[in-house]
Amino acid sequence: ALLGDVNNAFCPEDDDRRVVIEKMTVMFESRPDGDIEYQLDTEEQLAAMKSNPFTLKEKCKYKIKVQFRVQHDIVSGLKYVNNVYRKGVRVVKLDEMIGSFG
């Protein structure tokens, strides 16, 4: 009852991931081309995102929205880590505790 109706959940037995990121959106206040959205359902889409990084202008205002699902087990202490690089050197590392999910 705590996890709801698990009979209708889609959790492949051969997929051992506990958290599956489905989509990531970078939302900007004033970007002429609109927001950047990555579908991450497959390994090919994940590889495409990694091979095409996006660039942020200094002092631009943005938010990152991540859509994910939890499978197989309860996840406690889920953390978001954001690394910012300038000219190949990491200048900022941000760790943010998101919460616990089931």
Side-chain angles (χ1 to χ4, degrees), residues 1 19 40 67-69 72 83 87 94:
V19 176
L40 303 172
Q67 180 178 328
F68 64 92
R69 74 174 186 270
H72 302 302
N83 291 307
K87 297 182 181 178
L94 172 71

Side-chain angles (χ1 to χ4, degrees), residues 17-66:
R17 297 177 294 174
R18 290 172 53 195
V19 176
V20 179
I21 298 179
E22 298 174 336
K23 181 170 40 171
M24 183 179 96
T25 307
V26 183
M27 302 178 297
F28 297 93
E29 270 188 15
S30 59
R31 183 173 186 260
D33 297 336
D35 298 338
I36 300 171
E37 186 172 291
Y38 294 105
Q39 291 290 337
L40 303 172
D41 295 303
T42 65
E43 292 295 325
E44 293 81 20
Q45 292 171 330
L46 182 60
M49 181 192 84
K50 288 181 178 181
S51 66
N52 295 319
F54 59 91
T55 303
L56 299 173
K57 290 188 177 182
E58 196 167 340
K59 297 187 181 183
C60 74
K61 295 186 180 185
Y62 68 96
K63 296 179 185 178
I64 296 178
K65 177 179 163 182
V66 178

Side-chain angles (χ1 to χ4, degrees), residues 74-88:
I74 294 173
V75 175
S76 64
L78 185 63
K79 190 189 307 188
Y80 167 75
V81 179
N82 184 17
N83 291 307
V84 177
Y85 291 86
R86 182 177 295 148
K87 297 182 181 178

